[in-house]
Amino acid sequence: MTKKSSLLPILLQQSRRRVIWSGWKLVIILSMGLCVFALFRIHLSSPPETLLSRRRSFSREVVFSGPPKIAFLFLVRRGLPLDFLWGSFLENADTGNFSIYVHSEPGFEFDESTTRSRFFYGRQLKNSIQVIWGESSMIEAERLLLDAALEDPANQRFVLLSDSCVPLYNFSYIYSYLMASPRSFVDSFLDVKEGRYHPKMSPVIPKDKWRKGSQWIALIRSHAEVIVDDVVILPVFKKLCKRRPPLDASKGKLNVKLQKQHNCIPDEHYVQTLLSMSGLEGELERRTVTYTVWNQSATKMENKGWHPMTFSYANASPRKIKEIKGINHIDYETEYRTEWCRTNSTFVPCFLFARKFSRGAAMRLLSDGVAGPFDASYILARSAPD
């Protein structure tokens, strides 16, 4: 009994130490777990600029020989109605200086039966998607075009164009203009009037990084990579940047409820906001090189609605084209900023392309030799596609 009694305090002390040590181990494990969780939360909520910069550090290495190319990226509904003008524009260009990619509706092919110009044969993307205006499918299609063009390491400039865009100069001038600048041309400004920013976008997209601008961009390669590699901003846009349903007279009073929904047009914000959050605004000429005239229209269901004006044969006169080509600055009211148009510090005309042009207007540009030497074969010697 005496021996056991003397051992009891020792056993109790050892047991107490084991309990204390186990407790400390539990505290250490819990602390490490909390640290990991905190770091994870910081990773998710930290300024995406940090995350996106980290992704850019793993940018694909590109090595190419020969001249750099401009990748013309056409985002079209189905066919390319102004292909005859683009064919004439490209006819006198060195084929080693450009490449063409077209996103059309799934299954549509560009061949002898669907386009007048050989430059577009087989240039459609095989993985195209159905695009709906005002939805995220628009920016997904843009990303598909950029991704396809990035496969060619010689592509160093990336110009997004619609099916109604026209060139305002010959190929040589446009090539020299874009290649002379180490910057992207992205129309980007503070959006303070329309309230398209959704509060739930925070903290992933801070409000002070929210930008608006023209969809029609001209990018350098590193910026194209940032857009294609983005896995942070696109999911937020797909979830929270959605177009409000259009007014419908048949819905009567239901329109009042529908118009209270948040309204956001993804393609007018995505690239601008992504590059802003990536800390790249200092690498941009914050303007577009594609001219658009916006007409304010009114209907019974709309007090205010903005739509691009379509140029017809009559208003695509040499005088009007000269006027557009003479524009040398753009005013941004929300930022009290005047953007004097430059490329590589040299003052230049602002616009290289324009939209929206009808076939008649494009024919007038062709006959006036605006985009290059007049080549009637694209109108006369080739039958129009069905």
Side-chain angles (χ1 to χ4, degrees):
M1 285 294 293
T2 303
K3 193 172 183 179
K4 287 183 179 180
S5 297
S6 64
L7 288 174
L8 186 59
I10 297 173
L11 293 172
L12 288 173
Q13 187 176 11
Q14 290 176 342
S15 177
R16 192 179 297 113
R17 287 176 178 172
R18 282 197 295 270
V19 170
I20 292 172
W21 176 239
S22 297
W24 274 109
K25 285 200 294 184
L26 182 61
V27 169
I28 292 170
I29 292 170
L30 287 173
S31 297
M32 291 177 66
L34 287 171
C35 286
V36 171
F37 179 73
L39 288 171
F40 180 71
R41 287 297 300 273
I42 292 171
H43 178 76
L44 288 179
S45 61
S46 63
E49 178 178 329
T50 304
L51 303 179
L52 297 170
S53 296
R54 190 175 301 130
R55 288 188 61 79
R56 287 203 308 277
S57 67
F58 296 101
S59 173
R60 55 191 107 181
E61 294 291 331
V62 292
V63 178
F64 73 96
S65 59
K69 294 181 183 179
I70 296 177
F72 293 104
L73 314 177
F74 289 89
L75 184 58
V76 307
R77 296 174 180 84
R78 186 172 170 81
L80 193 59
L82 309 186
D83 54 2
F84 59 90
L85 178 61
W86 286 100
S88 185
F89 169 76
L90 295 168
E91 191 66 41
N92 295 299
D94 187 331
T95 56
N97 288 338
F98 70 88
S99 52
I100 292 174
Y101 303 84
V102 185
H103 185 287
S104 184
E105 68 176 30
F108 187 85
E109 295 188 6
F110 283 79
D111 54 29
E112 293 89 339
S113 66
T114 58
T115 178
R116 297 175 180 85
S117 174
R118 60 185 174 83
F119 294 108
F120 295 98
Y121 292 170
R123 300 313 303 161
Q124 73 280 350
L125 301 189
K126 303 300 183 184
N127 59 342
S128 64
I129 60 175
Q130 192 64 48
V131 174
I132 300 175
W133 181 86
E135 296 189 3
S136 293
S137 56
M138 184 74 79
I139 56 178
E140 291 181 278
E142 293 175 17
R143 284 161 52 98
L144 287 172
L145 281 166
L146 289 168
D147 189 42
L150 283 168
E151 291 301 313
D152 183 349
N155 288 330
Q156 295 294 306
R157 299 294 183 272
F158 304 78
V159 179
L160 185 64
L161 300 159
S162 75
D163 53 9
S164 67
C165 280
V166 298
L168 295 174
Y169 296 89
N170 61 33
F171 180 87
S172 177
Y173 181 87
I174 290 176
Y175 182 87
S176 298
Y177 186 116
L178 293 175
M179 290 300 176
S181 177
R183 298 169 177 260
S184 290
F185 296 89
V186 179
D187 187 43
S188 178
F189 54 90
L190 295 173
D191 180 26
V192 297
K193 292 183 177 180
E194 298 184 51
R196 293 185 178 182
Y197 177 81
H198 198 301
K200 290 185 179 179
M201 291 178 174
S202 179
V204 179
I205 302 177
K207 189 173 183 179
D208 65 343
K209 296 294 186 180
W210 182 252
R211 298 288 186 270
K212 184 182 179 182
S214 169
Q215 174 185 10
W216 311 108
I217 54 180
L219 302 173
I220 61 174
R221 188 175 180 91
S222 61
H223 295 168
E225 290 177 348
V226 169
I227 294 168
V228 169
D229 291 340
D230 167 44
V231 295
V232 177
I233 307 306
L234 181 62
V236 179
F237 264 76
K238 292 174 74 171
K239 182 179 180 181
L240 297 172
C241 185
K242 297 181 179 181
R243 178 172 61 101
R244 181 187 297 145
L247 291 164
D248 185 346
S250 66
K251 293 182 179 179
K253 293 182 178 180
L254 181 60
N255 277 299
V256 177
K257 182 179 180 180
L258 292 173
Q259 293 310 300
K260 290 181 180 179
Q261 295 182 26
H262 196 80
N263 188 44
C264 183
I265 310 299
D267 57 80
E268 293 182 358
H269 298 276
Y270 174 68
V271 170
Q272 291 78 4
T273 298
L274 175 59
L275 296 180
S276 169
M277 295 179 62
S278 303
L280 295 172
E281 285 189 315
E283 299 178 13
L284 306 178
E285 295 289 355
R286 292 175 61 194
R287 62 183 177 86
T288 181
V289 289
T290 300
Y291 178 80
T292 306
V293 179
W294 293 94
N295 269 357
Q296 191 176 17
S297 64
T299 68
K300 294 179 180 178
M301 296 301 295
E302 289 181 285
N303 291 327
K304 288 187 177 181
W306 290 89
H307 303 280
M309 186 192 86
T310 299
F311 285 88
S312 64
Y313 182 93
N315 58 19
S317 65
R319 180 177 178 180
K320 182 60 182 179
I321 300 305
K322 183 178 180 180
E323 178 185 316
I324 296 171
K325 293 165 73 169
I327 297 171
N328 61 5
H329 70 279
I330 304 168
D331 294 319
Y332 291 90
E333 295 180 3
T334 63
E335 298 178 335
Y336 305 101
R337 169 172 63 97
T338 296
E339 191 77 12
W340 292 93
C341 299
R342 297 173 299 177
T343 178
N344 199 23
S345 300
T346 300
F347 289 98
V348 291
C350 293
F351 301 109
L352 299 176
F353 311 96
R355 61 185 296 268
K356 301 175 61 170
F357 275 63
S358 65
R359 288 191 183 189
M363 287 182 181
R364 186 164 188 177
L365 263 61
L366 180 65
S367 63
D368 290 339
V370 171
F374 174 60
D375 186 352
S377 66
Y378 281 96
I379 298 176
L380 302 176
R382 301 170 190 264
S383 59
D386 297 331

